[in-house]
Amino acid sequence: MDEIAVLIEPHIPALRRYAWALLRDDDAADDLVQDCLERALDRWHLQRRDGDLRAWLFAIQRNLFLNGLRQQARRGRHISMAVLADQPSREQSQDSRLAMRDILAALDSLPEEQRSALLLIGVEDLSYEAAARILGVPVGTIMSRLSRGREKLRRLLGSEPRAALRSVK
């Protein structure tokens, strides 16, 4: 069991970041990571020895997240008291808090597939191949989801991309 812990432990911070990015709630993110680790330990015998452990853990976590979304749709959304009593941080300026709120709201408005691709590649710095394995889709699908997600974020945040090519007559 100790050798399993040594293999899994370095991935916990990345799992935590991804969980928070998906849920935006510290307690729920901790619960998701804990559930992911519990499931990984319980199903360790199913993990391919020649496979990418990080991708396997992220896939477990994403599947648990999607199961939670389905369950939430059936039960209705739960809002914790901590969210209701959220106090702004004194360390951040008002402008940076507003910008962060806008970015998170824009990210939340993306379809789950695009949001997951953006988070895995942009935040967790995974390769397209690793993200494709986690999401269970071809690499080309990851590339198109990433492109569409980035484009939609640009539109939502009001920062249109610069034209790379010009028409010359």
Side-chain angles (χ1 to χ4, degrees):
M1 190 62 138
D2 288 336
E3 64 271 1
I4 295 172
V6 169
L7 292 172
I8 290 178
E9 190 173 354
H11 301 290
I12 294 174
L15 290 168
R16 177 82 170 79
R17 276 191 309 272
Y18 184 52
W20 187 87
L22 291 171
L23 297 165
R24 307 277 164 51
D25 179 292
D26 289 335
D27 294 332
D30 287 340
D31 290 344
L32 181 59
V33 171
Q34 182 174 343
D35 291 345
C36 172
L37 296 174
E38 182 180 326
R39 178 146 314 161
L41 290 174
D42 186 46
R43 294 186 169 97
W44 187 255
H45 63 282
L46 299 174
Q47 192 257 340
R48 292 176 41 199
R49 302 296 175 228
D50 61 342
D52 182 359
L53 177 60
R54 184 178 185 188
W56 186 66
L57 291 169
F58 272 84
I60 290 171
Q61 184 167 307
R62 181 173 181 274
N63 289 336
L64 288 168
F65 169 71
L66 293 175
N67 290 342
L69 284 180
R70 290 181 202 108
Q71 186 178 50
Q72 181 181 351
R74 288 190 306 269
R75 292 185 179 175
R77 187 163 188 196
H78 172 76
I79 300 175
S80 70
M81 292 301 290
V83 171
L84 296 175
D86 187 23
Q87 297 295 317
S89 169
R90 293 179 185 172
E91 296 172 12
Q92 294 179 328
S93 71
Q94 184 175 3
D95 289 340
S96 66
R97 281 194 309 270
L98 290 173
M100 181 63 74
R101 185 198 65 198
D102 292 345
I103 291 168
L104 293 175
L107 196 57
D108 283 342
S109 72
L110 294 176
E112 189 279 325
E113 296 85 11
Q114 292 174 11
R115 183 174 60 231
S116 288
L118 279 168
L119 291 172
L120 290 171
I121 292 168
V123 176
E124 294 305 326
D125 200 29
L126 293 176
S127 68
Y128 286 18
E129 292 80 13
R133 280 193 308 273
I134 290 168
L135 300 177
V137 297
V139 174
T141 302
I142 290 294
M143 294 168 68
S144 76
R145 286 179 181 178
L146 193 58
S147 176
R148 287 192 312 264
R150 286 175 175 161
E151 179 59 34
K152 187 168 183 182
L153 278 179
R154 279 188 207 100
R155 279 195 320 271
L156 290 170
L157 296 173
S159 57
E160 292 297 321
R162 292 183 216 130
L165 301 173
R166 291 188 329 198
S167 176
V168 180
K169 295 184 179 184

